[in-house]
């Protein structure tokens, strides 16, 4: 019946110089379609079926064996204050990292080399999730040295922003590594609703990109700019970065990952970063 309807509709169209125009059989066909109850089939040509999910994507993609929460900070520093800012951070941030009273760790701290200039990036891990984050923030408000640091830091900044992140289950947990290295932070703004699809492809892709141990960590946002993904990579230098990335194209499956994930991206950005003096990621 459906094919007959479309054939009837087709016979009701005639070609003119200005395009296709309908004659009376089209109306008859549509009335016939309505009468026989085939309108649900006709609508199915244009309506995408949505399969409801039973769980949040954070539960499906994040690691189950731990309860880590990450915070990434982006500080845009006044150019004339960058050296003083770095010295201030190198003095205060490691003391929080090493103090057992704070359930948090400084994963890495960098200056952007290529990308946004005069920028610092800090990545923190809170073992214990949101309760650990709340505990640290409450304790820091009572820490005189930190409050002095924050006041002094405020005089040096043009702007700042942060995000709370979870780590993908299929990525490594970032651990200290010897240097010297350069680090690349690749940030992707995904189309809403595509995080699961991204995770499915990258769960396979990350095995391809582990050949030179360049994968440091992979994260997705929970608070701040949503549907944001951050991939952190380590290389010896810019030439080794180019060689490593080119070599990925010679491995089976990498071209497919790129082909299917590029349409999921609304915006992407790459930062090349240099570790600060006391960064655990050297």
């Amino acid at each position: 019946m459906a094919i007959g309807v479309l054939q009837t509709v087709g016979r009701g169209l005639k070609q003119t110089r200005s395009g296709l125009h309908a004659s009376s059989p089209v109306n008859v066909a549509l009335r016939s379609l309505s009468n026989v109850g085939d309108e649900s089939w006709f609508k199915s040509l244009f309506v995408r079926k949505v399969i409801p999910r039973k769980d949040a994507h954070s539960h499906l993609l994040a690691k189950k064996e731990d309860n880590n929460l990450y915070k990434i900070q982006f500080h845009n520093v006044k150019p004339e204050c960058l050296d003083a800012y770095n010295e201030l951070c190198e003095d205060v941030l490691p003391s929080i990292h090493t103090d057992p009273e704070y359930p948090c760790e400084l994963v890495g701290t960098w200056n952007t080399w290529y990308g946004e200039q005069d920028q610092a990036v800090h990545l923190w891990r809170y073992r214990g999730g949101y309760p650990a984050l709340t505990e640290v923030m409450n304790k820091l408000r009572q820490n005189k040295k930190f409050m002095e640091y924050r006041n002094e830091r405020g005089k040096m900044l043009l702007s700042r922003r942060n995000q709370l992140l979870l780590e993908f289950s299929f990525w490594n947990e970032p651990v200290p590594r010897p240097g010297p290295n350069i680090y690349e932070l690749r940030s992707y703004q995904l189309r809403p609703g595509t995080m699961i699809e991204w995770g499915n492809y990258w769960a396979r892709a990350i095995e391809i990109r582990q050949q030179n141990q360049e994968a440091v960590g992979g994260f997705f946002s929970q608070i701040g700019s949503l549907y944001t993904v951050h991939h952190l990579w380590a290389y010896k230098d810019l030439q080794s970065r180019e060689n490593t990335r080119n070599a990925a194209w010679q491995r089976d499956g990498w071209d497919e990952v790129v082909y299917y994930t590029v349409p999921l991206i609304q915006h992407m950005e790459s930062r090349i970063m240099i570790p600060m003096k006391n960064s655990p990621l050297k």
Side-chain angles (χ1 to χ4, degrees), residues 67-80:
N67 189 24
N68 290 339
L69 179 70
Y70 290 80
K71 178 173 70 175
I72 192 167
Q73 300 172 301
F74 299 94
H75 291 172
N76 293 314
V77 186
K78 296 176 182 178
E80 67 274 16

Side-chain angles (χ1 to χ4, degrees), residues 61 63 166-171 195 198-199 218-220 229 231:
L61 294 172
K63 292 184 177 179
L166 295 177
E167 57 185 329
F168 285 110
S169 60
F170 45 84
W171 275 75
M195 188 66 73
W198 178 275
F219 314 92
F220 59 98
V229 169
H231 291 174

Side-chain angles (χ1 to χ4, degrees), residues 208 243-255:
I208 302 173
N243 295 342
T244 300
R245 290 178 57 81
N246 287 341
W249 289 96
Q250 308 306 315
R251 302 187 184 109
D252 291 340
W254 180 247
D255 56 342

Side-chain angles (χ1 to χ4, degrees), residues 179-232:
N181 296 295
I182 63 171
Y183 290 81
E184 181 176 17
L185 183 67
R186 297 179 71 88
S187 302
Y188 305 88
Q189 186 66 48
L190 303 186
R191 291 191 293 107
T194 61
M195 188 66 73
I196 296 294
E197 192 174 355
W198 178 275
N200 286 338
Y201 284 113
W202 269 96
R204 300 192 297 271
I206 193 61
E207 297 183 9
I208 302 173
R209 293 297 309 274
Q210 289 280 32
Q211 300 294 320
N212 296 318
Q213 304 299 313
E214 69 266 28
V216 178
F219 314 92
F220 59 98
S221 61
Q222 287 292 282
I223 297 178
S225 179
L226 298 178
Y227 286 97
T228 302
V229 169
H230 298 291
H231 291 174
L232 184 61

Side-chain angles (χ1 to χ4, degrees), residues 44-111:
S44 71
L45 294 177
F46 307 100
V47 178
R48 178 183 177 186
K49 185 177 180 181
V50 177
I51 301 175
R53 297 198 176 276
K54 303 298 184 182
D55 210 346
H57 69 247
S58 59
H59 293 162
L60 297 172
L61 294 172
K63 292 184 177 179
K64 304 293 191 301
E65 63 272 18
D66 52 36
N67 189 24
N68 290 339
L69 179 70
Y70 290 80
K71 178 173 70 175
I72 192 167
Q73 300 172 301
F74 299 94
H75 291 172
N76 293 314
V77 186
K78 296 176 182 178
E80 67 274 16
C81 297
L82 186 59
D83 289 341
Y85 171 90
N86 287 345
E87 290 177 5
L88 188 65
C89 290
E90 290 164 359
D91 178 48
V92 176
L93 300 187
S95 66
I96 300 172
H97 169 75
T98 57
D99 192 332
E101 292 296 316
Y102 297 96
C104 67
E105 303 161 8
L106 183 63
V107 176
T109 180
W110 304 269
N111 287 130

Side-chain angles (χ1 to χ4, degrees), residues 28-45:
V28 173
L30 292 178
R31 284 198 298 271
S32 173
L33 178 65
S34 176
N35 292 337
V36 298
D38 271 357
E39 58 182 313
S40 60
W41 172 87
F42 193 75
K43 289 180 179 178
S44 71
L45 294 177

